[in-house]
Amino acid sequence: MYKFLVEKIRILINLILFSFSILLYYLYFPFYFIGLKKISDYLLEIASRVCLMSMRVEVNIIKKPNNPLYKKKKEIHIANHSSPLDILITQGFFKMPCLTTAHKHLSKILIGIKFVVTQYGHYPFDYKNNNSRILALKNIRRTLCHSNKIFYYP
């Protein structure tokens, strides 16, 4: 009986956390449209972390050594795309732009997701379309001209 009750409470907490992450996502819009982009971006980062937490996703990041040589180099992180939720890890933990197809999947549950990810700095693209892939690679080059990091899910 005790284990059953604990599991029900855990499910309830996860549902509350997930609902809170959706609320944070939708709070993005008013803050963005009144010109508070940094706050709206921060809300998306927190929403991403809370959403992952609600799904009991554990993220372990091994930090590189604190070496000044690393700060001067451009970084392209390439990861194996395994889920539309990958963008939540990139946004919530790495806080850097990425090339993504997640908007295709997430648009089924999050209204305006393509607009939001684009405004955050991500580059949505269609991997089946050659022109879209070429444009995505050009976006990588453009991003690396003014930023040192980008994430890419091939």
Side-chain angles (χ1 to χ4, degrees):
M1 178 71 176
Y2 177 73
K3 284 185 178 182
F4 177 75
L5 183 61
V6 168
E7 188 58 32
K8 293 294 182 191
I9 291 171
R10 185 177 293 150
I11 290 170
L12 179 63
I13 290 170
N14 290 340
L15 286 172
I16 291 168
L17 284 171
F18 183 75
S19 300
F20 183 62
S21 73
I22 298 295
L23 172 68
L24 289 172
Y25 169 79
Y26 284 112
L27 281 175
Y28 168 88
F29 292 101
F31 282 97
Y32 177 81
F33 287 117
I34 62 172
L36 299 172
K37 183 161 175 19
K38 286 189 178 187
I39 293 174
S40 60
D41 287 351
Y42 181 71
L43 284 171
L44 286 179
E45 293 162 1
I46 298 301
S48 298
R49 285 182 174 206
V50 172
C51 184
L52 290 168
M53 188 186 323
S54 75
M55 291 184 265
R56 300 164 94 179
V57 173
E58 186 177 317
V59 178
N60 296 313
I61 299 172
I62 300 170
K63 298 214 176 212
K64 61 186 174 200
N66 192 8
N67 186 333
L69 292 175
Y70 284 115
K71 294 179 183 177
K72 295 179 183 177
K73 294 185 178 186
K74 304 282 185 182
E75 297 177 20
I76 300 176
H77 300 267
I78 301 175
N80 186 14
H81 179 60
S82 59
S83 163
L85 301 178
D86 291 341
I87 193 171
L88 299 179
I89 294 171
T90 305
Q91 189 168 292
F93 290 92
F94 292 101
K95 299 176 183 159
M96 69 176 77
C98 74
L99 289 155
T100 183
T101 59
H103 64 286
K104 296 271 188 193
H105 311 288
L106 295 177
S107 66
K108 295 176 176 110
I109 58 170
L110 296 173
I111 297 167
I113 188 68
K114 186 173 181 179
F115 172 80
V116 170
V117 297
T118 303
Q119 295 306 310
Y120 184 83
H122 301 304
Y123 298 102
F125 74 103
D126 180 1
Y127 71 94
K128 294 179 183 178
N129 181 316
N130 285 340
N131 291 335
S132 182
R133 288 195 308 246
I134 291 168
L135 181 62
L137 291 175
K138 288 179 181 177
N139 285 331
I140 287 177
R141 290 183 65 205
R142 192 173 325 127
T143 297
L144 289 176
C145 285
H146 60 79
S147 175
N148 284 343
K149 301 176 185 179
I150 192 165
F151 229 99
Y152 176 53
Y153 293 102

